[in-house]
Amino acid sequence: MKIMEIEGAKELNGTIRISGAKNATVALIPAAILTDEEATICNVPEITDTEALCDILSLLKADVKRASESIVINPKSLENIEIEEKYSKKLRASYYFMGALLGKFKKAVMYFPGGCSIGARPIDLHLKGFEALGAKVTNEKNKYIVEAEELKGANIYLDIASVGATINIMLAAVKAKGTTIIDNAAKEPEIVNVATFLNNMGAKISGAGTSTIKIEGVDYLHNCFHEIIPDRIEAGTYLIIGALCGNNLKIDNIIPEHLDSITSKLEEIGVSLEVGLDYITINKSNNTFKPTTIKTAVYPGFPTDLQQPFTVLLTQCNGKSKVVETIWENRFMHIPYLKDLGADVEVKNQTATIIGPSKLHGTQVVATDLRAGAAMVAAGLFATGTTTITNVEHILRGYEQIIEKLTGVGAKITLKEI
Ligand code: EPZ
């Protein structure tokens, strides 16, 4: 088991360079098998989710070459092999192989995906989308068989603007006959990045980034070279850390517009930041911050993936703050540990009420999921004394070189194997 040990209350100064977006990467790697030639993806983060998806590519006999930050995927020898549970359960995004294999071979057989336990996480909208395109879905225990004689474009309305369903339907529809329209599509930047990747291969997708996406099916997808966008959630996490511990901490290689909902909340509570073309410089404050209310929402609203780290910052606001989680029903698992560190927080239904400011003192805590883990890192860096985080495998799934990046700006943080 790996643990992190943080000696807190150090000022962080210097530059943190943001990596490629995890939630784009995990869709782009499965999407790459759709090409009839070869796909090169660069700015790929070295995180365990990337490894898990490359393992699936190897299982399917794709040719995968990795060199520093890029991956070259050639699916010429691809075989449509069943994706066993030991592969699918390593991460949520294994489900993108369903759409990609369906689009490529008109058949996909795989087990239910894994991922953080932040809610029930059904995939009914993905399956309904596949059915609308003409596929038959059979579910045997945990195994899904999705098969079509022919995939035909369709009009699909998503009951919820789901990121995963939007991308998965795009992957299945890209080579279908005719035109597919996805209405009430999710608008996250990662979706735009995946659509751009597919268009670079010759797909005809328009409207990505709006709530109506149009996909005109094509027969052939050629070579492409693609760059992954910077990770807005990683950037947001380091901004929160900067608001707690920063002394001219520069968060570099970002797209500031993707972070508007975060920067406006930071400014609202009184955090000082300077927004540049592709960076933000941030400072901690000697005073407490103003309290606020956060309600998570689909993009461009406040991202659920930053709600947990943000609760740590809210412990330093003067008065009562609230966090209303609207996307996932189980995303407050970090709160008991935040209380152990000294925070005054109560959770009722889907709302956390935080009374600040509180002094935080290091103790032993658990990373119950990826972003809960990020919250514990933020809390540990701010708290006095030593914080030990267990279950850090969750954190390493999504934050590239987190130890190196934080150590590089003055944090005392170590990863240990016990
Ligand atoms: C993506 O998950 C992200 N994961 C999540 O990030 C993120 O929290 C989430 O989008 C919301 O922004 C990846 O991109 C790999 P959804 P996804 O489908 O696609 C319900 C992180 O920390 N729903 O947009 O699984 C669902 O239960 C992770 O990086 C259905 O009911 O999320 C949820 O309430 C965690 N049926 C809501 O929609 C479905 O078929 C949004 O889920 C699909 C979803």
Side-chain angles (χ1 to χ4, degrees):
M1 186 175 70
K2 288 190 174 75
I3 61 162
M4 263 184 209
E5 249 176 37
I6 306 175
E7 210 185 296
K10 308 276 180 245
E11 278 195 356
L12 305 182
N13 168 253
T15 301
I16 293 180
R17 189 181 156 81
I18 296 306
S19 303
K22 168 184 95 76
N23 287 344
T25 307
V26 297
L28 291 165
I29 293 175
I33 66 165
L34 283 162
T35 180
D36 295 289
E37 297 182 5
E38 187 170 87
T40 303
I41 309 173
C42 61
N43 202 25
V44 180
E46 248 185 73
I47 48 177
T48 52
D49 271 10
T50 304
E51 304 307 324
L53 290 169
C54 287
D55 288 347
I56 298 180
L57 286 177
S58 301
L59 169 80
L60 300 175
K61 311 253 190 292
D63 183 29
V64 184
K65 287 195 189 70
R66 291 197 66 177
S68 67
E69 289 184 342
S70 63
I71 304 190
V72 183
I73 299 166
N74 189 324
K76 67 177 184 307
S77 320
L78 199 75
E79 290 178 24
N80 197 3
I81 294 167
E82 169 179 316
I83 300 175
E84 297 163 44
E85 194 159 24
K86 72 171 181 192
Y87 290 95
S88 69
K89 75 172 184 204
K90 281 205 179 147
L91 75 171
R92 193 78 197 157
S94 56
Y95 61 27
Y96 290 131
F97 277 103
M98 255 191 214
L101 287 170
L102 183 64
K104 179 112 185 162
F105 295 116
K106 302 194 180 57
K107 182 170 180 181
V109 184
M110 71 170 283
Y111 282 80
F112 196 79
C116 293
S117 308
I118 51 180
R121 309 193 77 175
I123 57 166
D124 56 308
L125 299 173
H126 305 230
L127 301 177
K128 273 190 206 161
F130 298 151
E131 283 172 339
L133 294 170
K136 183 169 168 270
V137 178
T138 321
N139 178 10
E140 295 166 4
K141 292 196 178 148
N142 237 359
K143 178 163 134 182
Y144 288 84
I145 303 164
V146 188
E147 200 170 4
E149 267 177 26
E150 187 181 42
L151 291 169
K152 276 197 196 145
N155 283 5
I156 300 167
Y157 177 84
L158 296 180
D159 296 334
I160 301 171
S162 152
V163 174
T166 303
I167 293 179
N168 236 341
I169 294 167
M170 245 166 35
L171 299 181
V174 88
K175 283 182 147 187
K177 290 262 169 304
T179 302
T180 299
I181 307 278
I182 310 175
D183 256 323
N184 195 29
K187 296 186 269 197
E188 274 66 2
E190 293 75 19
I191 293 167
V192 181
N193 204 223
V194 175
T196 307
F197 176 59
L198 294 168
N199 283 344
N200 286 346
M201 287 182 194
K204 289 191 178 159
I205 303 173
S206 54
T210 75
S211 51
T212 304
I213 298 180
K214 183 175 169 191
I215 305 144
E216 291 173 67
V218 296
D219 291 331
Y220 191 84
L221 294 172
H222 51 70
N223 271 328
C224 86
F225 179 87
H226 181 77
E227 180 154 357
I228 302 176
I229 50 168
D231 194 315
R232 64 195 166 96
I233 306 301
E234 186 199 15
T237 304
Y238 288 122
L239 283 175
I240 291 164
I241 289 172
L244 290 162
C245 313
N247 170 9
N248 281 326
L249 184 68
K250 185 175 179 185
I251 313 301
D252 201 13
N253 187 39
I254 59 166
I255 300 175
E257 302 88 281
H258 290 174
L259 287 155
D260 280 351
S261 62
I262 316 302
T263 45
S264 66
K265 269 293 159 197
L266 289 171
E267 279 169 342
E268 181 192 319
I269 66 171
V271 176
S272 124
L273 37 90
E274 179 209 328
V275 182
L277 215 56
D278 62 353
Y279 69 88
I280 296 177
T281 305
I282 189 157
N283 282 291
K284 69 172 190 171
S285 164
N286 292 326
N287 303 312
T288 55
F289 300 116
K290 282 183 251 159
T292 188
T293 294
I294 282 169
K295 194 169 179 182
T296 62
V298 295
Y299 188 82
F302 192 96
T304 167
D305 296 346
L306 284 174
Q307 169 267 102
Q308 291 158 299
F310 215 92
T311 53
V312 181
L313 184 55
L314 296 178
T315 68
Q316 301 313 309
C317 295
N318 193 9
K320 192 195 279 184
S321 294
K322 282 186 190 289
V323 176
V324 186
E325 172 57 54
T326 70
I327 312 284
W328 301 115
E329 58 275 24
N330 195 19
R331 230 179 185 181
F332 285 127
M333 284 191 292
H334 63 300
I335 296 294
Y337 300 105
L338 199 50
K339 287 168 86 161
D340 288 347
L341 285 156
D344 182 353
V345 193
E346 289 309 326
V347 178
K348 209 168 174 194
N349 304 321
Q350 285 303 94
T351 302
T353 304
I354 301 145
I355 312 231
S358 298
K359 287 203 162 52
L360 302 186
H361 305 285
T363 186
Q364 183 163 338
V365 296
V366 181
T368 54
D369 57 76
L370 169 60
R371 308 302 172 187
M376 290 302 108
V377 172
L381 289 168
F382 177 76
T384 52
T386 303
T387 299
T388 307
I389 310 177
T390 60
N391 282 20
V392 294
E393 281 78 6
H394 283 300
I395 304 174
L396 304 177
R397 280 190 37 220
Y399 288 88
E400 184 181 45
Q401 297 197 320
I402 185 166
I403 303 284
E404 293 81 351
K405 287 185 185 187
L406 286 168
T407 308
V409 293
K412 293 270 177 281
I413 173 166
T414 48
L415 189 65
K416 290 185 180 162
E417 189 84 48
I418 57 161

